[in-house]
């Protein structure tokens, strides 16, 4: 009998605990229902108290926590709402509505990292493909808006798996390849598919699609098809972007490079211009000047050196020395350039253009400290041409030294037409390099 009694006790305790838990849960549900009624009638303080009692009785129910968070949100208690939604996903990490509310809160706080994190969690939890696509699209748009488009690749790939023929995702895929991976063939393929689908459905695609297709063709040096795509564009803002892909624009860049003795870059751009438009005469003229100077170089130097040696008049002598140094710099003969610079300086007739040549020669042998000293002097000189050449070269040196903030100041000044286009291109380059650093540091 005694043994029977002791066996019976655990059963009683178990029954009592189970009954108590059930009563507690039922009691919690009662308070939750009261909270719902108060919330629906706008009595938010009473709703909060009711939900809090429900949670105290059953703190593992994510629904109670989420509803409390919603009332906090309606009461404009943003911090309390955020903390309650975070507790909700601690209890149930698959509670999708809490993730979505957190994404919204973080977006309003401009905390885009956490916004993206919770949208990604919502994408993970849901099995509805339309919602998955919507969450990924929101992430891609945020990254583009915040100039972090280089992070969009994995999200675009996820979206393509869900909807491989979605026109907007194909468009964003093309932009990613046009500007981030530089895989213009992939950009072209995505846009051709999207445009074909839109033309079949609506008769015409959006102009932004034709613009990006033109960019892909242009980057592949398929200028004929680039022009066909660009002809579809009527929007003034988009048309203004096309100027950066014209022979006239690129010639200005090549000309600026030529003036600071970056001759390989100048030559490369000039050849691209001729591929783009084989009737653009200024490109031929500058290329001819580049190529003519390469012919019989040693003979030209000998003749110039001889002319220097026979000059009695110092003024004429320094002019010929300046031509000789200019010629040597153009073709990388820095040893002789320095020799003739020394000879020039002994004549005691300062010429700003020759001082610029000396700065360029120092830069060529990586003695940028001496180059910068000379350039700073020239930037304060009254002659506009040498002043702007010097500012432009200074900016180039600062980029090479990764001093991007100072480089931006160098290029962010009112350059004359012959340098302004090339300065804009350098500012674009700095912006890209700064973005690359941010990505590397993450």
């Amino acid at each position: 009998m005694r043994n029977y009694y002791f066996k019976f006790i655990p059963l009683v305790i178990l029954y009592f605990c189970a009954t108590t838990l059930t009563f507690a849960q039922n009691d919690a549900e009662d308070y939750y229902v009261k909270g719902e009624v108060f919330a629906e009638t706008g009595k938010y303080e009473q709703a909060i108290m009711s939900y809090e009692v429900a949670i105290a009785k059953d703190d593992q129910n994510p629904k109670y926590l989420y509803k409390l968070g919603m009332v906090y949100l309606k009461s404009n208690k943003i911090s309390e709402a955020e903390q309650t939604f975070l507790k909700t996903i601690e209890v149930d990490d698959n509670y999708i509505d809490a993730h979505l509310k957190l994404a919204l809160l973080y977006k309003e706080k401009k905390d885009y990292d956490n916004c993206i994190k919770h949208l990604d969690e919502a994408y993970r939890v849901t099995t509805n493909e339309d919602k998955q696509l919507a969450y990924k699209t929101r992430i891609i748009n945020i990254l583009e808006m915040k100039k972090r488009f280089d992070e969009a690749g994995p999200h675009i790939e996820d979206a393509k798996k869900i909807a491989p023929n979605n026109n907007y995702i194909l468009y964003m895929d093309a932009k990613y390849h046009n500007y981030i991976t530089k895989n213009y063939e992939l950009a072209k393929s995505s846009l051709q598919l999207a445009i074909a689908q839109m033309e079949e459905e609506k008769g015409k695609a959006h102009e932004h699609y034709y613009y990006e297709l033109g960019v892909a063709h242009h980057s592949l040096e398929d200028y004929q098809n680039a022009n066909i795509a660009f002809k579809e564009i009527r929007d003034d803002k988009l048309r203004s972007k096309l100027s950066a892909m014209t022979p006239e624009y690129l010639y200005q860049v090549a000309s600026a490079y030529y003036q600071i003795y970056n001759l390989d870059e100048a030559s490369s751009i000039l050849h691209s211009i001729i591929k783009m438009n084989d009737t653009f005469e200024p490109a031929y003229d500058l290329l001819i000047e580049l190529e003519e100077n390469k012919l019989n170089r040693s003979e030209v130097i000998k003749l110039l050196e001889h002319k220097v040696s026979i000059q009695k008049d110092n003024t004429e002598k320094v002019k010929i020395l300046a031509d000789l140094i200019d010629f040597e710099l153009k073709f990388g003969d820095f040893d002789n350039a320095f020799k003739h610079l020394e000879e020039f300086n002994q004549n005691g007739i300062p010429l700003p253009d020759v001082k610029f040549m000396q700065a360029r020669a120092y830069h060529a042998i990586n003695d940028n400290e001496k180059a910068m000293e000379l350039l700073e002097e020239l930037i304060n000189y009254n002659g506009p041409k040498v002043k702007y050449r010097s500012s432009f070269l200074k900016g180039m040196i600062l980029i090479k030294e990764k001093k991007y903030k100072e480089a931006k100041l160098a290029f962010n000044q009112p350059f004359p037409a012959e340098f302004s286009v090339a300065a804009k291109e350098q500012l674009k380059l700095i912006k890209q390099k700064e973005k690359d650093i941010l990505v590397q540091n993450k």
Side-chain angles (χ1 to χ4, degrees):
M1 183 73 177
R2 185 174 170 182
N3 289 338
Y4 174 79
Y5 174 76
F6 283 115
K7 287 178 183 178
F8 181 70
I9 289 173
L11 294 173
V12 172
I13 293 170
L14 182 64
Y15 173 77
F16 176 78
C17 290
T19 306
T20 303
L21 179 62
T22 303
F23 283 145
Q25 288 175 333
N26 289 339
D27 203 14
E29 190 69 17
D30 288 341
Y31 279 100
Y32 165 74
V33 171
K34 288 178 183 177
E36 289 287 272
V37 172
F38 285 131
E40 285 175 12
T41 55
K43 297 176 180 177
Y44 296 135
E45 289 301 322
Q46 292 96 319
I48 288 168
M49 287 189 287
S50 296
Y51 288 136
E52 284 176 341
V53 174
I55 291 163
K57 292 178 178 295
D58 182 4
D59 62 1
Q60 293 304 300
N61 192 317
K63 178 176 69 173
Y64 300 168
L65 286 160
Y66 175 75
K67 291 291 187 172
L68 175 60
M70 286 301 297
V71 174
Y72 278 138
L73 200 58
K74 290 174 183 175
S75 305
N76 204 32
K77 295 179 178 179
I78 305 302
S79 180
E80 291 90 337
E82 177 188 342
Q83 293 306 313
T84 308
F85 291 138
L86 287 170
K87 287 177 185 173
T88 306
I89 59 174
E90 280 180 22
V91 172
D92 181 2
D93 193 35
N94 292 331
Y95 206 92
I96 191 168
D97 288 340
H99 283 299
L100 291 172
K101 285 295 181 291
L102 284 166
L104 183 62
L105 286 174
Y106 287 128
K107 186 180 180 185
E108 289 176 357
K109 289 171 69 174
K110 297 183 171 28
D111 182 351
Y112 296 106
D113 285 335
N114 273 318
C115 173
I116 290 167
K117 172 187 169 184
H118 288 287
L119 284 172
D120 229 1
E121 286 296 302
Y123 163 81
R124 175 186 62 80
V125 173
T126 188
T127 56
N128 182 303
E129 288 192 344
D130 289 339
K131 289 182 178 179
Q132 285 182 323
L133 183 61
Y135 302 148
K136 282 295 174 180
T137 301
R138 283 165 67 182
I139 291 171
I140 293 163
N141 289 340
I142 288 168
L143 289 171
E144 185 186 32
M145 176 186 70
K146 300 314 297 177
K147 313 295 183 192
R148 292 168 53 183
F149 199 50
D150 51 291
E151 301 171 39
H155 302 290
I156 292 171
E157 287 303 311
D158 286 339
K160 282 168 65 181
K161 287 174 188 172
I162 303 161
N165 294 325
N166 181 281
N167 291 331
Y168 184 70
I169 297 302
L170 287 167
Y171 170 71
M172 298 307 279
D173 182 58
K175 286 187 76 173
Y176 183 75
H177 289 305
N178 265 346
Y179 304 111
I180 307 301
T181 70
K182 311 295 184 186
N183 191 328
Y184 305 113
E185 285 290 351
L186 287 179
K188 181 179 76 172
S189 297
S190 290
L191 286 161
Q192 285 173 332
L193 174 57
I195 289 170
Q197 291 176 163
M198 293 179 82
E199 287 179 341
E200 186 177 345
E201 293 167 13
K202 304 176 182 179
K204 194 174 186 334
H206 296 305
E207 291 189 9
H208 289 81
Y209 288 59
Y210 293 113
Y211 174 78
E212 293 300 337
L213 179 59
V215 169
H217 281 307
H218 189 276
S219 301
L220 291 166
E221 298 188 346
D222 182 357
Y223 301 116
Q224 184 178 357
N225 280 316
N227 289 332
I228 290 169
F230 290 146
K231 282 178 183 176
E232 299 292 332
I233 298 170
R234 300 288 179 272
D235 180 78
D236 289 340
K237 190 174 180 180
L238 283 177
R239 289 198 67 79
S240 68
K241 289 183 177 182
L242 298 182
S243 63
M245 289 175 275
T246 61
E248 293 79 6
Y249 183 98
L250 293 172
Y251 179 78
Q252 293 290 335
V253 178
S255 177
Y257 283 143
Y258 178 77
Q259 291 190 58
I260 63 164
Y261 300 98
N262 281 18
L263 304 181
D264 289 340
E265 291 90 337
S267 177
S268 176
I269 294 169
L270 291 168
H271 282 292
S272 294
I273 291 169
I274 289 168
K275 284 182 186 176
M276 195 184 306
N277 180 356
D278 62 6
T279 65
F280 190 76
E281 288 189 30
Y284 287 101
D285 293 339
L286 193 51
L287 265 178
I288 288 167
E289 188 174 339
L290 277 168
E291 296 301 323
E292 276 181 344
N293 287 327
K294 291 180 183 178
L295 300 174
N296 300 316
R297 193 170 77 191
S298 60
E299 290 301 316
V300 174
I301 289 173
K302 283 179 185 177
L303 289 169
L304 286 170
E305 285 180 330
H306 181 68
K307 281 185 73 175
V308 168
S309 69
I310 62 174
Q311 292 304 315
K312 304 297 182 185
D313 179 15
N314 263 9
T315 304
E316 192 62 32
K317 184 176 181 179
V318 295
K319 286 180 182 177
I320 299 166
L321 273 170
D323 288 340
L324 178 57
I325 296 162
D326 174 68
F327 188 82
E328 287 164 340
L329 279 182
K330 282 176 179 172
F331 302 102
D333 189 358
F334 300 114
D335 289 339
N336 278 317
F338 278 113
K339 182 182 80 173
H340 292 120
L341 279 163
E342 187 177 347
E343 186 178 352
F344 176 91
N345 291 330
Q346 288 170 358
N347 284 280
I349 302 176
L351 287 178
D353 283 338
V354 176
K355 188 173 279 191
F356 175 81
M357 293 179 204
Q358 190 169 4
R360 182 62 182 83
Y362 279 131
H363 172 51
I365 63 168
N366 293 316
D367 192 344
N368 288 329
E369 187 176 344
K370 287 182 180 177
M372 292 294 269
E373 285 177 14
L374 293 169
L375 292 171
E376 291 295 348
E377 290 178 33
L378 292 166
I379 287 166
N380 296 316
Y381 182 72
N382 288 330
K385 185 169 183 178
V386 74
K387 174 180 177 176
Y388 291 118
R389 283 173 83 192
S390 301
S391 294
F392 193 88
L393 180 56
K394 176 185 174 181
M396 297 284 282
I397 292 171
L398 290 168
I399 290 175
K400 189 174 180 180
E401 293 181 340
K402 300 182 180 179
K403 297 177 180 177
Y404 300 127
K405 188 175 180 180
E406 295 170 57
K408 279 193 282 191
L409 291 173
F411 289 117
N412 259 324
Q413 59 175 296
F415 281 98
E418 59 188 321
F419 284 104
S420 63
V421 167
K424 286 177 187 175
E425 290 301 304
Q426 294 305 312
L427 287 168
K428 289 179 190 176
L429 176 64
I430 293 167
K431 190 174 182 181
Q432 184 57 53
K433 286 183 178 292
E434 287 178 329
K435 284 177 72 175
D436 292 343
I437 289 169
L438 287 173
V439 172
Q440 288 169 9
N441 291 338
K442 283 186 177 178

